[in-house]
Amino acid sequence: MQKKNNLKAKRDAFCCYYVMLGNVAEAAEKAGFDRENALTEGIKCLRSAECRRTIAGLRDVLNDSGNVSAGLKRLAFGNCADAVYLVFADELPPAEIIERLDLFNVSEIKRVKGGGVEVKLFDRLKALEKLFELESSCSDRNKAADLIAALTSSAEDGDCSDD
C-alpha cells in the first residue's frame, strides 16, 4: 500500500512539474524518479489517463496553452543560480555536476581571452512579452470559439424564424 501511495505522489508531482517545465525527463526526475529511468517513467505517466486528466486540469486552472507557454515561463521566471555557479567556479566542474545544472535560461556560453567564461542569458523581458502575446491570442481564440458556439447553438435550437 505504501509503495502504491508513493507512486501516486510521484505521478502527481510529475504532472505538476510537467505543466511547469514542459520536459518529460526533467519533470520525472524532479518528481523523484531515478535519473536513469526518468524519461521512461515520465512517458509511462503520460500514457496514464489519470495523469493526462490531471495535466489537462492543471493547464485549465493555470490558463496554460502547453509546452511553448511552459518554456516562456521558465525563461521569464526561471532561476539563474546554476549559471551564476558556473561563471564563478574556480575551475570547470566535472561532467556529472554539469549534467545536473539547470541552464535553460542560458543562450550562450563561451570562453574569453584571459581564461574567463562569458555566459549570456535569454532576455526575460522579451520572454514576458511573448508570453503575453501567446496568452492574449489564446484568450482571443477562446472568445471567438465561444461566440461561434453561442451563434450555432441558437440557430440549432430553432430560435430563428423566416416570417
Side-chain angles (χ1 to χ4, degrees), residues 108-127:
E108 183 180 342
I109 299 176
K110 66 180 179 181
R111 289 190 183 266
V112 294
K113 293 179 183 173
V117 174
E118 182 179 313
V119 175
K120 291 185 181 179
L121 303 174
F122 285 103
D123 187 334
R124 289 182 186 266
L125 186 55
K126 283 185 183 177

Side-chain angles (χ1 to χ4, degrees), residues 12 15 20 24 32 57-58 60 68 81 94-95 103 106 128 136 145 150-151:
D12 288 345
C15 294
M20 296 310 295
V24 176
L58 288 169
D60 188 46
V68 172
L103 301 175
V106 174
L128 281 170
S136 294
L151 292 173

Side-chain angles (χ1 to χ4, degrees), residues 10 23 42 47 66 93 95 99 112 116 141:
K10 283 183 179 181
N23 181 298
R47 286 184 175 152
E99 287 178 7
V112 294
R141 248 184 270 136

